[in-house]
Amino acid sequence: MISRWDDHEAAGFEGALGQRVYSSRLLGREPSLVLHGGGNTSVKASITDLFGEQQRLLFIKGSGHDLRSIDARGFAPLRMPPVLRLAELAVLSDTDMGRELRAACTDPDAPSPSVEAILHAALPADYVDHTHADAVITLSNSEDGEARVREVYGDDVVVVPYVMPGFRLAKRFVEEHLPQVGPTTLGIVLLNHGLITFADTARDSYERTVELVSRAEAYLERRGAWQLPLDHEPPPSQPQRLELARVRADVAAAAGKPMLLRAHQDPLALSFARHEDVATMSQQGPATPDHVIRTKRLPLVGRDVAGYAEAYRAYVRELAAGAEDDLAPVDPAPRVVLDPDLGMLAVGSDPEDLIVTGDLYRHTMEIVLRATALGGYRALPASDVFDVEYWYLEQRKLERPGGAAEFAGEVALVTGAASGIGKACVASLLLRGAAVVGLDVDDAIERSFEGPAYLGLGCDVTDEAQVEDAFERTVRAFGGLDMLVLNAGIFPPAQPVVELGSDTWRRVLGVNLDANLVFLRHAHPLLALAPKRGRVAIIGSKNVPAPGPGAAAYSASKAALNQLARVTALEWARDGIRINSVHPDAVFDTALWTEELLASRAKHYGMSVDQYKRKNLLRVEVTSRHVAELAAAMCGALFECTTGGQLPVDGGNERVI
Ligand code: ZN
């Protein structure tokens, strides 16, 4: 590991807290040090309060802040004396500690201080950096780990055996290990947990972390344990979407709610999942205590989700045996599944959670493989994991149950999604908490939306191989399919029937009708596995009930699609799949309509553009958003008892009514 410190960059950050922000971000840029909010940093500084008095404060990272992006407001300012005094108590519950730390905070708007505040306050230096450095954890979580740590660092570090993070760790440290810290101490190794460095400048403390981690990496290199033993066999090329969707259905059944699942099939994930010792290697326990919370204590090896859930329930019953009342209602579904054919599957309740779980377990796989190469992976003793898990479940009881988004944990696919109604459908579904895949021939689809809940794929809907590939990629990314919105369509220039060529006819029916049959056929087995039952929304047209002259191919294609949808509704009801259609008219904020076209059509009717846009009974302008909201609502609980339905969204039309 190299130091990323840059004096020029650092100069842009003012004062002690500014320097703290800068070097915290440097740590945050190394995924092998801190991941997704892991690790914490602090700085001690004197400030003058409103009364002109000097106060010594500990600015410590607030929980929920990520070192990658933290700024000054991410640190909670605590008065030092009351924090230090807490270490004198014999016992202190997590709830009481949280309350005392908040009471010591001088800013009521600051975030909740990290549970390691007491430990940070006790260290005799201004800057303190705490990370869960992979290389250090690899040493400590291997056979003879403590001896290896001592061999690598000698007297340069103080070694602290594992203690549950929080008050217990702080107390033990202050009483037993703080006296060992001397002027030449470079850091503290917390066995099975991580590393702490401290110094009077931000740079020194940061660079001590870099140095100590580099020494661990060099040790692993010398022992031939740094290079990961990866086999580079190509990932499976045969379709796996049904197998994956079945695992996801089982996970959702165990969790009691829809869940997302992502297949990791790169060399690291496949090598680990196919390792001959995976069944023992992966069952030793988590790499660090904070992983217990995200990835659960153990992954599932194989596909027996129900068996895993049953075992986990029994484990929680055991955990709760000494408790006064029940632990929080537990979701016993696994968060990581290892399967030789499917790779490493990460499970999450939402897209962000899905990424965090996957990233954490990727680091676990590296740590386990390297520690195995050193002679064997040894995680925390089961009783310590037990404590962390119990603590976590207790904390969950205190959480207020928030209302989950309507489509949380569900997956939707929208065709023709780069613009207009399709794009608006993606937005409406994202807003309701779904993970959404947008398809379009226009490559702009890949960048239409940002964030972990969206995946945009270029796809020509008339090419069956591309369509199948899109389904495959959807399921590898999110685990299954719950909602399908068929929107892609074309509207050729107006032509009377006598001039309508067969090529135009076939092209329009190819996109507006035939392609949708292919989508429905491939979607069916996936929708049948949807935890809350599959839904299809069809973007039809006013031309179905009320066709117009010059639009024969378009009207015929939409009318045929309408019959296809109705027959499908009849056939799929037995699988609980609902299919409903919306019939929009005169939606002008789509790619089909340009300013010039709009002006010329308005002129044709002797109207202003605004009058032309509101040429309906209600005199309203119908937008893509109106259509999308109705399509999304049709996938929701409001339409739970409706299938084969058709609703106009056209401002009212005499010919339709
Ligand atoms: Zn920690």
Side-chain angles (χ1 to χ4, degrees), residues 358-374:
D359 283 352
L360 288 181
Y361 205 73
R362 298 185 68 78
H363 283 259
T364 299
M365 294 190 293
E366 291 186 353
I367 289 168
V368 172
L369 285 170
R370 288 189 173 124
T372 302
L374 273 188

Side-chain angles (χ1 to χ4, degrees), residues 63 173 190 247 315 367 395 440 636:
S63 56
F173 176 79
L190 304 173
V247 175
Y315 174 75
I367 289 168
Q395 294 301 303
D440 207 289

Side-chain angles (χ1 to χ4, degrees), residues 241-262:
R241 56 186 187 273
L242 274 182
E243 289 175 77
L244 286 166
R246 278 191 200 106
V247 175
R248 178 200 177 227
D250 290 346
V251 166
K257 60 181 181 186
M259 298 287 272
L260 302 174
L261 178 149
R262 175 162 298 166

Side-chain angles (χ1 to χ4, degrees), residues 38-40 115-116 130-132 165 169 190 193-196 288-290:
N40 44 60
V115 297
E116 308 296 7
H130 168 47
T131 56
H132 302 149
L169 172 59
L190 304 173
H193 178 167
L195 180 67
I196 298 174
T288 80
D290 64 336

Side-chain angles (χ1 to χ4, degrees), residues 339-359:
D339 180 274
D341 295 320
L342 302 176
M344 185 269 279
L345 311 181
V347 172
S349 54
D350 61 54
E352 184 68 40
D353 190 30
L354 187 66
I355 288 176
V356 174
T357 304
D359 283 352

Side-chain angles (χ1 to χ4, degrees), residues 212-251:
L212 293 175
V213 171
S214 299
R215 283 205 227 168
E217 290 174 350
Y219 176 89
L220 292 169
E221 185 110 49
R222 285 199 302 278
R223 303 291 162 120
W226 181 248
Q227 210 61 39
L228 292 165
L230 304 184
D231 77 54
H232 288 270
E233 271 184 56
S237 57
Q238 77 282 13
Q240 291 185 317
R241 56 186 187 273
L242 274 182
E243 289 175 77
L244 286 166
R246 278 191 200 106
V247 175
R248 178 200 177 227
D250 290 346
V251 166

Side-chain angles (χ1 to χ4, degrees), residues 332-553:
R335 288 300 181 273
V336 175
V337 179
L338 298 165
D339 180 274
D341 295 320
L342 302 176
M344 185 269 279
L345 311 181
V347 172
S349 54
D350 61 54
E352 184 68 40
D353 190 30
L354 187 66
I355 288 176
V356 174
T357 304
D359 283 352
L360 288 181
Y361 205 73
R362 298 185 68 78
H363 283 259
T364 299
M365 294 190 293
E366 291 186 353
I367 289 168
V368 172
L369 285 170
R370 288 189 173 124
T372 302
L374 273 188
Y377 174 68
R378 301 284 175 270
L380 287 177
S383 58
D384 289 317
V385 177
F386 205 86
D387 287 347
V388 175
E389 194 132 34
Y390 182 78
W391 170 82
Y392 169 56
L393 294 171
E394 279 286 316
Q395 294 301 303
R396 285 235 328 226
K397 273 201 309 193
L398 304 175
E399 283 171 18
R400 260 172 290 150
E406 181 170 22
F407 296 153
E410 296 200 280
V411 186
L413 189 147
V414 181
T415 68
S419 62
I421 293 171
K423 189 172 183 180
C425 285
V426 174
S428 292
L429 292 160
L430 287 172
L431 201 69
R432 287 165 171 78
V436 186
V437 178
L439 305 187
D440 207 289
V441 272
D442 183 349
D443 284 341
I445 190 71
E446 290 169 20
R447 298 170 303 280
S448 295
F449 291 86
E450 284 184 356
Y454 175 73
L455 174 66
L457 300 173
C459 175
D460 175 352
V461 295
T462 62
D463 180 335
E464 182 157 1
Q466 288 188 38
V467 171
E468 233 189 303
D469 186 53
F471 276 112
E472 197 66 25
R473 290 169 71 181
T474 296
V475 176
R476 280 175 211 245
F478 295 123
L481 184 71
D482 305 278
M483 291 166 275
L484 175 65
V485 179
L486 294 177
N487 164 69
I490 51 174
F491 191 96
Q495 262 181 326
V497 171
V498 289
E499 287 169 22
L500 180 58
S502 296
D503 282 356
T504 305
W505 175 265
R506 274 193 290 267
R507 193 167 58 85
V508 173
L509 267 78
V511 176
N512 295 3
L513 178 65
D514 301 2
N516 289 320
L517 171 65
V518 174
F519 271 95
L520 288 169
R521 209 167 53 215
H522 287 296
H524 176 260
L526 296 172
L527 292 170
L529 288 166
K532 282 166 73 180
R533 307 188 139 195
R535 286 88 81 196
V536 181
I538 308 264
I539 309 299
S541 169
K542 179 236 31 171
N543 285 34
V544 172

